[in-house]
Amino acid sequence: MKEPMTTDQLLQGLKHYRRIARQDMLRAPETPHPEAFLQHAESRRGIYVALATYAEAHAPDEVIAHALTLYRGLPFVTGTAEHEHPEVKGQENALENFFLLVGLDPKARREARSHRPKLGAPERSAADPGQPVP
């Protein structure tokens, strides 16, 4: 991992990502699958909001650990059609963007990814925005 980020730097980066997700939400009607695109952007934004809220009360290394826990809870949806599972794909994308932001060692991300459940594993109850969905 690169030099540790301060909480302010972390919050600023998450704010930037939230703005991009918001712009994507606005341009969803122009895409081939508007509803899926909108859900993907909303899911990303939800993760960024949840991580920012968590960061306000925790140290950056705790926020990273929390993000890794969220990532481990996401089911694999790789290989499905682009417009399928937009909530999960949006959350995955947001968490991977966050890992890039903080300079997480790719090996740590791969390790967390290897613990993710397969699609169709027993479902949990519906989650709040920013929490992994089944």
Side-chain angles (χ1 to χ4, degrees):
M1 192 162 80
K2 62 183 180 182
E3 182 178 322
M5 296 182 83
T6 66
T7 297
D8 286 340
Q9 290 170 324
L10 196 65
L11 290 171
Q12 190 63 31
L14 288 167
K15 184 177 180 180
H16 175 72
Y17 280 142
R18 274 197 323 267
R19 286 180 181 148
I20 294 170
R22 177 73 177 135
Q23 289 172 353
D24 286 348
M25 290 166 61
L26 295 173
R27 71 181 192 96
E30 305 164 7
T31 65
H33 302 283
E35 188 59 34
F37 194 87
L38 177 63
Q39 290 174 354
H40 188 282
E42 288 172 338
S43 293
R44 289 189 350 252
R45 191 169 187 279
I47 287 287
Y48 301 140
V49 168
L51 290 175
T53 300
Y54 196 85
E56 290 172 354
H58 298 84
D61 59 329
E62 293 173 304
V63 180
I64 294 167
H66 179 65
L68 283 166
T69 299
L70 294 176
Y71 190 67
R72 280 186 208 101
L74 291 175
F76 277 112
V77 292
T78 304
T80 59
E82 179 183 352
H83 60 281
E84 292 178 354
H85 311 290
E87 299 90 3
V88 176
K89 289 178 181 178
Q91 291 176 7
E92 177 182 48
N93 183 239
L95 289 165
E96 289 176 353
N97 287 341
F98 175 75
F99 298 147
L100 289 172
L101 171 71
V102 299
L104 183 70
D105 179 25
K107 183 178 177 184
R109 186 188 62 79
R110 284 193 303 271
E111 174 66 22
R113 186 175 176 85
S114 72
H115 290 91
R116 289 174 52 187
K118 294 182 182 192
L119 183 63
E123 292 190 14
R124 298 179 303 266
S125 62
D128 295 338
Q131 299 298 315
V133 293

